[in-house]
Amino acid sequence: MELHMVLLIAVTLIPMIIAAFAAELIKSVIALLVGSVGLTLVLFNLNAPIAGIFELSVGAGLIAVLFILSVSLTRPLAKEESAERKRQHYRRFYVLPIIILFLGLILYLNKDFWINAFPFTGAQESASFGEVLWGRRGLDLIGQIGIILVGVFGVIVLFRRGKMNE
Amino acid sequence: MNNILVIDMIAVILLLGIGLYTLIVSRNLLRMLIGFEIMAKGVTLAIVSAGAYNGKLALSQTLAVTAIVVEVIFIAVALAIVMLIQRKKGSLDVRKITNLKG
């Protein structure tokens, strides 16, 4: 087993479990950010630096900023209600680490399935990232630009001060 | 390479499991979005590791970049909707914001 890959996957998975398990939203968002950095390291290890840089800048940076802004814009709960919510939250989520541990163990014991499920073709791609992005994919890039504009609209709505806020 | 694919695919399924569990169990809208985000990380890892295994890394990277862009746009629009709900209803609890009867 490649130990470095196991360690990098652990750096990704453990913060993700913490992100789901933490009762406070701000701690969840920070754990998600750390998990994204771990995923970036995994992508670099798989020789995919462009996807890694994109994950780090957009997946970790921009999403963390949007989440932290949203959490800070929401109204905090009263102390008693917050304590009760925390108790309920931990009651719902305490089984998650156990489920993940068992699921991981079962999947690891049946590891031959994955090797047979993905036959290795051995083909090596000669085209570069730029050639694939701009050469092979044409029309869907226009759709992607449209989606980015939708995102801009979403951010404008996020910071709009309307009648409801007054 | 086989061992790395096995580790990656196990990680992908665990990430999808964590995200799905969070989506199903949580009642806070922001936490549900965090669950979606965890699932999206799993999808990105699946695309890139499958491309690295089969020697089509450039194609898998372009698809991963597209997936990340769509994920960010989804989060931006969903957070905007969540903020509007919070301003209107004063709560992020999914049980308190239902108005439809039936």
Side-chain angles (χ1 to χ4, degrees):
Chain A
M1 279 289 165
E2 278 74 1
L3 186 65
H4 59 282
M5 193 49 134
V6 175
L7 288 174
L8 291 178
I9 290 291
V11 170
T12 310
L13 272 178
I14 293 168
M16 292 300 185
I17 295 172
I18 294 170
F21 194 76
E24 287 170 40
L25 278 169
I26 200 80
K27 285 180 186 166
S28 288
V29 175
I30 291 167
L32 188 73
L33 171 68
V34 176
S36 286
V37 174
L39 180 62
T40 304
L41 295 175
V42 173
L43 296 181
F44 270 102
N45 206 37
L46 288 169
N47 290 324
I50 297 169
I53 290 286
F54 222 78
E55 175 63 35
L56 187 64
S57 59
V58 180
L62 183 59
I63 286 181
V65 168
L66 283 175
F67 267 115
I68 288 171
L69 274 173
S70 305
V71 172
S72 58
L73 283 173
T74 52
R75 212 172 296 146
L77 291 170
K79 237 178 189 176
E80 299 83 37
E81 202 180 349
S82 171
E84 176 58 27
R85 284 275 177 89
K86 264 187 190 173
R87 235 186 338 268
Q88 285 179 2
H89 174 82
Y90 286 130
R91 208 178 298 149
R92 284 198 301 270
F93 274 88
Y94 77 99
V95 285
L96 178 66
I98 303 165
I99 291 174
I100 294 303
L101 205 66
F102 269 101
L103 190 62
L105 200 67
I106 290 167
L107 289 170
Y108 179 72
L109 291 176
N110 295 308
K111 61 181 180 179
D112 289 341
F113 168 78
W114 299 106
I115 296 164
N116 298 326
F118 292 93
F120 180 55
T121 57
Q124 285 298 317
E125 201 172 35
S126 55
S128 66
F129 177 82
E131 285 166 358
V132 174
L133 185 65
W134 300 112
R136 287 193 209 167
R137 301 177 52 206
L139 200 61
D140 61 325
L141 282 177
I142 298 169
Q144 196 169 330
I145 292 165
I147 292 172
I148 291 170
L149 291 176
V150 172
V152 172
F153 183 70
V155 173
I156 290 169
V157 173
L158 187 63
F159 295 108
R160 195 181 60 160
R161 285 183 169 272
K163 284 179 186 171
M164 282 177 287
N165 203 24
E166 289 161 6
Chain B
M1 196 64 207
N2 276 344
N3 286 338
I4 287 181
L5 178 82
V6 170
I7 299 167
D8 283 350
M9 285 302 151
I10 291 173
V12 166
I13 291 184
L14 293 183
L15 283 172
L16 290 176
I18 297 167
L20 195 64
Y21 187 87
T22 311
L23 268 177
I24 293 169
V25 169
S26 59
R27 289 162 186 166
N28 186 309
L29 285 169
L30 281 175
R31 193 172 295 281
M32 289 170 92
L33 287 181
I34 289 174
F36 168 81
E37 188 62 29
I38 294 171
M39 288 177 82
K41 305 284 180 213
V43 171
T44 307
L45 180 59
I47 293 171
V48 175
S49 62
Y53 181 65
N54 266 326
K56 292 180 178 169
L57 203 52
L59 183 63
S60 71
Q61 280 195 88
T62 59
L63 290 174
V65 167
T66 306
I68 292 168
V69 168
V70 173
E71 167 194 331
V72 172
I73 301 307
F74 172 80
I75 289 294
V77 175
L79 282 177
I81 295 170
V82 167
M83 283 299 104
L84 288 177
I85 289 172
Q86 212 269 343
R87 279 178 199 166
K88 199 173 179 192
K89 304 278 182 184
S91 175
L92 289 175
D93 196 326
V94 285
R95 292 168 299 179
K96 289 182 181 171
I97 59 173
T98 47
N99 271 340
L100 296 174
K101 292 175 182 172

